[in-house]
Amino acid sequence: MTAEHARLTEELRRLRARTGLSLAALSERTTYSKSSWERYLNGKSLPPRQAVQELCREADEPDGRLLALWEIAESSWSGRAAAPAPAPAAATSAAAEEARAPETGRPRRRRGRLMVVLASAYALLAGGVALALVLLPDGDTPGDESLPASAPYSLAAQCRAEDCEGRDPMRLVCGIAPDTLATYRTATGAHMEVRHSEKCGASWARMWGTRIGDRLEITVGGPDHGVRVKDRADTETYVYTDMTAARSGGTVRACFSPASADGERECVEARVGESTATPRPPSRR
């Protein structure tokens, strides 16, 4: 069992204890059998996404945070996050690295505390599929763009190519079943992925296993779009950048900058249309 899977299992056990339901009673109230729940709650197998949603429903728990943990566990379980690229033999001086301004290129800045950074929970509803966006700020969030009126009832992309530039992939329905162009584990242990939506013609990057102050940015030769880990809630799930337009054959570059002053920036590149588990050798620039 991976560390991510173990953490998800612990949270599922906590929720099940809150419900007070036996495994038999849980199977009666959900679409999964008693034996299935025994495997899920003992970490013998990774539960389906819907099982996590159903347990959250029974425990009267918003499912955003648990679905974020599930995505991270599923990424490790499937092997997408298990093949880190080798670090280069020659290290470069961290002092020579230019300082990167936080949130570079973002057209807006979320000022409220982001309790759940995952906004990719697309919940199955009776009679259809709805987009469930889970963002729970403590304060005002001026500048956040509104969802198009059709978004909760449509899985059609809400932008394309340049129209997606600098915009949120989850809000614009680009985050459904994207391609993973590259997966990389940094020297600090953080995981980063380069993601791409063919239907939207745009890419973005995400990271988890991070520390407060870690930064991530993405570019396809144009504007940089970045995100910074702001608080503990961010470290417990994952954070992602805004999108940048990326056509087939284009090279996407993602760079991780650790919070530590003596840490080195690590960058990876991936080509759109060439989904691989391991990116090209990382650079420090």
Side-chain angles (χ1 to χ4, degrees):
M1 186 193 306
T2 64
E4 294 83 1
H5 184 195
R7 182 172 180 183
L8 174 65
T9 300
E10 180 182 352
E11 290 295 324
L12 294 178
R13 288 176 181 170
R14 178 182 62 80
L15 288 185
R16 183 259 177 140
R18 183 195 297 180
T19 68
L21 297 173
S22 65
L23 292 180
L26 191 58
S27 69
E28 292 176 359
R29 297 171 68 97
T30 66
T31 55
Y32 298 90
S33 67
K34 176 181 176 180
S35 60
S36 293
W37 280 116
E38 189 276 332
R39 292 194 303 273
Y40 304 155
L41 295 173
N42 285 297
K44 296 177 182 178
S45 63
L46 186 72
R49 181 188 184 92
Q50 185 177 347
V52 175
Q53 292 174 308
E54 292 189 18
L55 182 56
C56 287
R57 181 195 66 206
E58 294 300 321
D60 195 24
E61 171 87 2
D63 62 13
R65 180 172 178 273
L66 268 294
L67 288 176
L69 294 177
W70 180 87
E71 283 222 4
I72 294 171
E74 191 277 333
S75 180
S76 295
W77 181 277
S78 64
R80 288 188 291 111
T92 58
S93 172
E97 290 292 343
E98 66 274 17
R100 205 195 84 176
E103 302 291 333
T104 301
R106 292 179 68 88
R108 61 190 182 280
R109 182 185 180 95
R110 295 188 180 95
R111 298 193 179 103
R113 175 178 173 80
L114 196 57
M115 296 298 292
V116 182
V117 298
L118 176 70
S120 59
Y122 299 96
L124 289 176
L125 300 180
V129 182
L131 173 62
L133 181 64
V134 188
L135 287 174
L136 304 176
D138 284 346
D140 295 335
T141 54
D144 277 4
E145 59 183 293
S146 301
L147 271 174
S150 61
Y153 306 101
S154 171
L155 297 183
Q158 302 297 308
C159 67
R160 176 71 187 172
E162 284 75 15
D163 289 340
C164 297
E165 191 73 45
R167 305 177 75 180
D168 190 309
M170 307 310 164
R171 287 179 177 269
L172 277 298
V173 201
C174 297
I176 299 180
D179 294 324
T180 299
L181 302 183
T183 301
Y184 175 65
R185 186 170 183 177
T186 70
T188 65
H191 289 274
M192 55 187 286
E193 284 185 342
V194 178
R195 309 279 268 175
H196 178 76
S197 170
E198 183 177 354
K199 66 180 180 180
C200 291
S203 297
W204 64 96
R206 67 177 183 174
M207 63 178 176
W208 65 91
T210 54
R211 303 171 185 174
I212 296 174
D214 286 349
R215 301 167 188 152
L216 179 66
E217 65 179 7
I218 190 168
T219 183
V220 186
D224 291 345
H225 300 294
V227 65
R228 182 175 65 87
V229 177
K230 299 187 291 295
D231 51 35
R232 183 177 176 182
D234 284 356
T235 67
E236 292 177 348
T237 52
Y238 65 74
V239 295
Y240 56 89
T241 69
D242 284 333
M243 293 183 284
T244 184
R247 293 181 172 83
S248 179
T251 299
V252 183
R253 181 181 178 87
C255 292
F256 170 84
S257 297
S260 174
D262 58 355
E264 294 186 346
R265 193 178 185 210
E266 300 174 66
C267 298
V268 294
E269 293 183 350
R271 189 175 297 276
V272 177
E274 298 179 2
S275 298
T276 58
T278 305
R280 300 177 184 180
S283 66
R284 300 285 173 171
R285 294 176 294 174

